[in-house]
Amino acid sequence: MAGMPNTHHDPDLSTVWLRVFLAVARHGSFTTAARTLGWTQSAVSRQISSLEAALGGGPLFDRLPRGVRLTEAGRILMPYAETVTGALYGAGRELAALREGAAGRLRFGAFPSADAALVPHALAAFRARHPGVRVTCEEGLTPGLLDRLADGHLEVAVVSTTGRAPLEAYELHHLLDESLYVAVPAGHPLAREDAPVRLGLLADADWISGGPHPEGTLLDAALRQGFQPRVAHVVAEWTAKQGYVAAGLGVALVPALAAASVRPDVALLPVLDEGAPARAVYAATARGRTPTPATEAFLTALREAAARIPGIPGLPGLPGLPGTMA
């Protein structure tokens, strides 16, 4: 009734008391319960007395000449004790599986060329070791992936930077440094040269890029070599870029992770290394957020995959091309 004081209180119960209560109830005996628990009978009796006192002092068991039997209060308590101890047991089991990397979830994202080469190797190794972890992945560009990471939608983001991306707000786990190739039509005069090329040789060419401005893209490498590339076509997807190059509409820079999928009417020329990595690839995690065991295990798989991924340095079918490795 409204306005009447609440005379009920939430009892402060020990889960040990509940576990002992269930043991006595199931065996119908203090002696058998004590033997099952590895305790003395007097210790079991003290736990039951403490539980009865916490619940208001009424008996939970009738003491019989042979064993004990639940009172009405004990019968009411029984399903609640089973629910509480069962839930705690389930929580303990799930937490143990989480610590061991046998359960939990992993949400990660990666930029497209990493999804083509680096990520599949890492994910295959991770799934073989941790089949019980629920994995979801998404593909996107670095800025969008970092936003998803900051918002808590991802645990790991495989991202890249040419040195201009704002990555200071994240924990960065360096995976590799990519060398660059310039894609030209197969009949281009430079395709006959058997040596790395300086990008300055293509200063007058039309360029195909993923963005209209060179800054913050792979074309940062051209800016570092002292010329402003003329972006004639903005094409985001690498397969489409190859089509533009093959048709003679321009040239494009290609990172090592994407170079293995070149079509036969396009030639890849290694860019002369000027002493700085063209693009660094990282696994990013949110700063200040405790990584889960699944996250740690996936970071390990990414490092392992980066250490043995084909094409850095050298690509299948393109022997001896320069590349750098962390």
Side-chain angles (χ1 to χ4, degrees):
M1 180 179 290
M4 292 188 64
N6 183 5
T7 58
H8 299 288
H9 67 280
D10 295 327
D12 187 10
L13 304 182
S14 164
T15 56
V16 174
W17 298 343
L18 296 177
R19 188 161 62 92
V20 172
F21 165 77
L22 289 174
V24 173
R26 288 163 182 163
H27 293 289
S29 164
F30 278 55
T31 302
T32 305
R35 186 165 56 247
T36 301
L37 295 170
W39 291 15
T40 64
Q41 182 174 334
S42 60
V44 168
S45 181
R46 285 195 300 273
Q47 299 298 317
I48 295 300
S49 295
S50 297
L51 177 59
E52 290 172 335
L55 291 172
L60 296 171
F61 295 98
D62 288 325
R63 276 66 170 175
L64 306 175
R66 294 185 178 180
V68 296
R69 180 175 56 197
L70 287 169
T71 63
E72 184 63 20
R75 283 192 290 273
I76 291 174
L77 178 61
M78 187 75 175
Y80 293 100
E82 290 175 329
T83 298
V84 170
T85 57
L88 289 174
Y89 173 77
R93 185 173 54 188
E94 286 195 35
L95 289 171
L98 182 66
R99 287 193 301 272
E100 296 164 5
R105 68 180 183 182
L106 171 69
R107 301 170 301 172
F108 76 91
F111 63 94
S113 58
D115 254 349
L118 172 65
V119 168
H121 293 285
L123 187 56
F126 177 84
R127 292 300 299 267
R129 298 167 188 168
H130 307 281
V133 175
R134 302 186 307 277
V135 178
T136 58
C137 55
E138 57 186 71
E139 185 176 282
L141 301 179
T142 289
L145 293 174
L146 291 176
D147 288 342
R148 298 279 291 165
L149 183 65
D151 292 342
H153 298 296
L154 300 175
E155 279 82 51
V156 181
V158 181
V159 298
S160 64
T161 176
T162 59
R164 295 173 180 263
L167 301 179
E168 295 81 5
Y170 306 92
E171 294 286 350
L172 299 179
H173 311 266
H174 184 254
L175 298 177
L176 55 90
D177 291 328
E178 287 188 277
S179 53
L180 281 184
Y181 304 93
V182 60
V184 299
H188 193 282
L190 288 177
R192 296 191 292 270
E193 301 290 335
D194 188 22
V197 299
R198 291 184 180 275
L199 289 181
L201 293 175
L202 295 162
D204 295 330
D206 285 340
W207 286 87
I208 301 157
S209 177
H213 306 292
E215 295 81 6
T217 71
L218 291 176
L219 286 174
D220 262 339
L223 299 178
R224 289 197 298 268
Q225 293 195 20
F227 75 91
Q228 182 79 20
R230 182 174 63 250
V231 178
H233 306 283
V234 176
V235 180
E237 206 274 321
W238 166 230
T239 304
K241 284 181 181 177
Q242 289 191 69
Y244 274 68
V245 172
L249 297 173
V251 298
L253 286 177
V254 181
L257 286 175
S261 58
V262 63
R263 51 191 279 175
D265 51 358
V266 171
L268 289 187
L269 312 176
V271 174
L272 185 65
D273 186 0
E274 297 292 338
R279 184 167 75 163
V281 178
Y282 299 95
T285 55
R287 191 182 299 278
R289 190 181 302 162
T290 302
T292 65
T295 296
E296 295 280 17
F298 188 57
L299 291 174
T300 296
L302 283 168
R303 293 188 191 99
E304 293 172 351
R308 62 177 184 269
I309 190 167
I312 303 178
L315 287 165
L318 298 172
L321 296 187
T324 57
M325 187 67 185

